[in-house]
Amino acid sequence: MSSITSRLSEWQKKKLCSLLNHANLSLLFKASVHGYTPAAFNQKCMRQGPTVVVAYNNTGYVFGAYTSKDYAQTNRDIVDEKAFLFSFKDKSIKEDPMRVFSGNPQYAFTDSGPNFGSLVFLYNNTATVQSNPRPDLYQFDPQQMHGNDLNLVEFEVYRVEDCGGLMEKPWRNIQWNAERRKALLSTISEWKPSVSSVKQARILLVGPVGAGKSSFFNSINSVFKGYVSTQANTGTAGSSLTTQFRTYCIKPSSSVSHIPFTLCDTMGLEEGLNAGLDVDDFYNILKGHIQDRYQFNSTMPIQSDAPYFNKSPGLKDKIHCVVYVIDACKVKLLSDKMIDKIAAFRRKTNQLSVPQLVLITKVDEACPLVAEDLKNVYQSHYINRMMQEVSAHLGVSLSAVVPVKNYSKELDIEPQTDILLLNAVIQMLRAVEGYFDDLDNLVKPL
């Protein structure tokens, strides 16, 4: 399946969240991916707590409905005094959204899909809306609500989540001052593999399409360069933008004299057969058989007689640490198929005793309190909850889950972002050191 991304722009999300007490929005359903049917809606959105449905039309209207009660597919009218319809125009940045409450909260919505009486979304299993304003349900001017355009270009559903505020104390202690940033850079620059035949640790980034693998390399590169760098190809696309196996070496700069690691990037993981990174290609990468700039073929793994196949890899060519990259905004969207695929990759990695970490990206987008101040990352109840869910889903210890914020829209580096990124690199190097220690123990005589 292609990457599932929110259609809401940043300002649209802020405008919508202003109606919801600035709660966090977690994407549950996207009609262009899951289907324009109430059945598909019910499959993804049942018993999810408070939700908001968001419709988009070609006229530029963003409109929908909020409910504080579960969808449970009872086919009954649901009482919800907090439910409301809303609307705003795409270009009306300064105007407040329109909000309409029910004339009778006893009939806030009908529990058979996105049916609000006056507005019925996915009408007749199509990308349309039925509009029938009524004073006993929801009374509104159709022109103001949707511009009389009832054809949808997209329809989404978000879980409305209370971020849970901040913990009294951080559950991991991080120093956020300039001295700490300098110390982290120095520690990384001075680190050397304990095995003489290896000059640089090779760290492999693996994750679903759009999780932020290439952005993480760009962000780490930016930290060492001292300015925001965009060497690796990034962006939003339906399938992986990375089509080659790439090994990225970061050049020393005025801030550091030595970079002791190489970041390796791969195709994104996808759910379908013959889509995304193949598990056999992954295994060959771990063993050091695949060389830089190999062009992936999702329908056929690399063959031993291929030009980019290294038949006699040394320890320096192998992967010394695997890092799974997960978007914090999409933890709830990790499908069973994706979790199973990652589990298959983890089994291959375990066979070779390669250490594994999980990188949680986009923590600022997932939690408004972290967006407000990155130093809140280890005090945010929401981020803590997402990290625990990832730990449980992927079967890794919580100590192996590390949150980061990548550089994506900034023009200049920021000390707090750098510190979080550098802390992640430190954890990777520690994992690599454990890998080399295990190798050393294997070759020691009994």
Side-chain angles (χ1 to χ4, degrees):
M1 181 183 291
S2 299
S3 177
I4 304 175
T5 58
S6 169
R7 186 184 174 97
L8 287 170
S9 67
E10 187 172 347
W11 79 263
Q12 288 172 341
K13 186 176 181 180
K14 287 181 179 178
K15 182 161 283 196
L16 183 54
C17 285
S18 71
L19 299 174
L20 305 168
N21 294 321
H22 301 282
N24 185 67
L25 299 182
S26 179
L27 184 61
L28 292 172
F29 175 83
K30 192 177 183 73
S32 62
V33 175
H34 299 118
Y36 285 91
T37 68
F41 170 91
N42 287 327
Q43 184 180 15
K44 292 290 184 181
C45 304
M46 275 190 16
R47 302 203 179 280
Q48 294 290 336
T51 54
V52 59
V53 305
V54 186
Y56 310 80
N57 63 23
N58 271 320
T59 317
Y61 284 84
V62 180
F63 62 106
Y66 166 78
T67 62
S68 67
K69 302 291 182 66
D70 275 329
Y71 292 98
Q73 207 172 350
T74 63
N75 294 317
R76 298 176 181 175
D77 293 320
I78 303 298
V79 180
D80 189 354
E81 295 183 352
K82 297 180 180 179
F84 61 82
L85 305 182
F86 70 89
S87 175
F88 55 88
K89 195 112 185 259
D90 192 30
K91 295 182 180 179
S92 303
I93 297 178
K94 295 183 179 180
E95 294 181 11
D96 292 331
M98 178 176 75
R99 178 158 49 176
V100 179
F101 287 91
S102 175
N104 186 348
Q106 298 291 320
Y107 306 100
F109 66 100
T110 301
D111 191 20
S112 57
N115 183 343
F116 300 88
S118 296
L119 285 179
V120 182
F121 299 92
L122 311 182
Y123 184 62
N124 281 344
N125 295 323
T126 62
T128 62
V129 182
Q130 183 188 54
S131 178
N132 182 26
R134 288 169 44 181
D136 58 325
L137 295 176
Y138 296 90
Q139 184 65 47
F140 54 81
D141 178 351
Q143 179 63 43
Q144 287 184 311
M145 177 62 70
H146 44 65
N148 286 317
D149 180 359
L150 301 179
N151 294 307
L152 302 181
V153 295
E154 187 58 273
F155 177 80
E156 297 174 331
V157 184
Y158 296 82
R159 182 194 290 111
V160 179
E161 300 173 329
D162 182 358
C163 289
L166 297 176
M167 301 177 182
E168 185 176 344
K169 294 181 179 179
W171 62 280
R172 284 180 183 169
N173 292 317
I174 297 288
Q175 297 176 355
W176 297 99
N177 51 49
E179 290 75 16
R180 180 57 180 167
R181 180 184 182 277
K182 184 177 180 180
L184 289 169
L185 285 169
S186 177
T187 299
I188 292 169
S189 179
E190 294 171 2
W191 184 88
K192 293 181 180 179
S194 58
V195 177
S196 59
S197 63
V198 177
K199 301 304 179 185
Q200 288 187 312
R202 284 168 66 88
I203 299 166
L204 178 64
L205 304 176
V206 180
V209 172
K213 298 182 288 85
S214 300
S215 293
F216 177 70
F217 164 73
N218 284 339
S219 298
I220 294 297
N221 199 24
S222 299
V223 176
F224 288 101
K225 283 182 175 292
Y227 59 86
V228 174
S229 168
T230 55
Q231 181 178 341
N233 191 20
T234 62
T236 302
S239 57
S240 180
L241 285 171
T242 304
T243 59
Q244 294 180 326
F245 174 63
R246 291 305 317 274
T247 58
Y248 291 111
C249 295
I250 298 171
K251 295 181 180 179
S253 63
S254 58
S255 58
V256 290
S257 57
H258 173 63
I259 307 294
F261 63 91
T262 296
L263 293 176
C264 305
D265 198 7
T266 62
M267 282 187 77
L269 301 184
E270 298 186 49
E271 293 179 6
L273 293 173
N274 299 326
L277 181 63
D278 180 86
V279 68
D280 291 331
D281 276 342
F282 172 75
Y283 195 58
N284 278 317
I285 292 171
L286 294 183
K287 296 177 72 174
H289 288 304
I290 296 184
Q291 299 176 338
D292 185 37
R293 295 187 184 274
Y294 165 69
Q295 186 74 37
F296 290 107
N297 181 349
S298 57
T299 62
M300 180 184 294
I302 193 171
Q303 304 299 302
S304 60
D305 57 352
Y308 286 88
F309 191 89
N310 181 359
K311 294 183 179 180
S312 303
L315 182 58
K316 65 180 179 60
D317 303 307
K318 297 180 179 180
I319 296 300
H320 310 129
C321 177
V322 174
V323 178
Y324 300 95
V325 183
I326 305 293
D327 182 344
C329 302
K330 298 178 183 175
V331 172
K332 300 288 187 182
L333 283 172
L334 283 174
S335 66
D336 291 341
K337 288 183 178 180
M338 182 58 70
I339 292 172
D340 289 345
K341 179 160 279 192
I342 294 175
F345 279 59
R346 280 184 38 72
R347 287 192 293 270
K348 290 290 187 182
T349 309
N350 287 332
Q351 289 175 14
L352 299 176
S353 300
V354 177
Q356 302 168 72
L357 299 176
V358 179
L359 203 65
I360 303 294
T361 62
K362 306 180 185 180
V363 291
D364 56 318
E365 296 180 26
C367 178
L369 296 172
V370 177
E372 184 179 304
D373 188 346
L374 194 57
K375 295 195 297 292
N376 289 333
V377 66
Y378 284 121
Q379 283 184 264
S380 164
H381 281 286
Y382 184 78
I383 296 300
N384 178 265
R385 194 159 63 244
M386 290 302 100
M387 292 174 66
Q388 291 191 48
E389 287 196 26
V390 166
S391 170
H393 283 325
L394 303 190
V396 299
S397 68
L398 188 58
S399 62
V401 182
V402 184
V404 295
K405 172 187 180 298
N406 286 334
Y407 286 114
S408 57
K409 58 189 176 183
E410 297 81 4
L411 297 178
D412 300 299
I413 61 171
E414 300 169 346
Q416 294 171 3
T417 301
D418 284 2
I419 288 170
L420 210 55
L421 290 163
L422 292 170
N423 267 302
V425 173
I426 291 288
Q427 296 307 311
M428 294 173 195
L429 294 180
R430 288 174 177 172
V432 170
E433 194 62 41
Y435 173 72
F436 290 142
D437 286 345
D438 284 345
L439 290 178
D440 188 47
N441 291 332
L442 287 174
V443 298
K444 284 182 178 179
L446 296 177

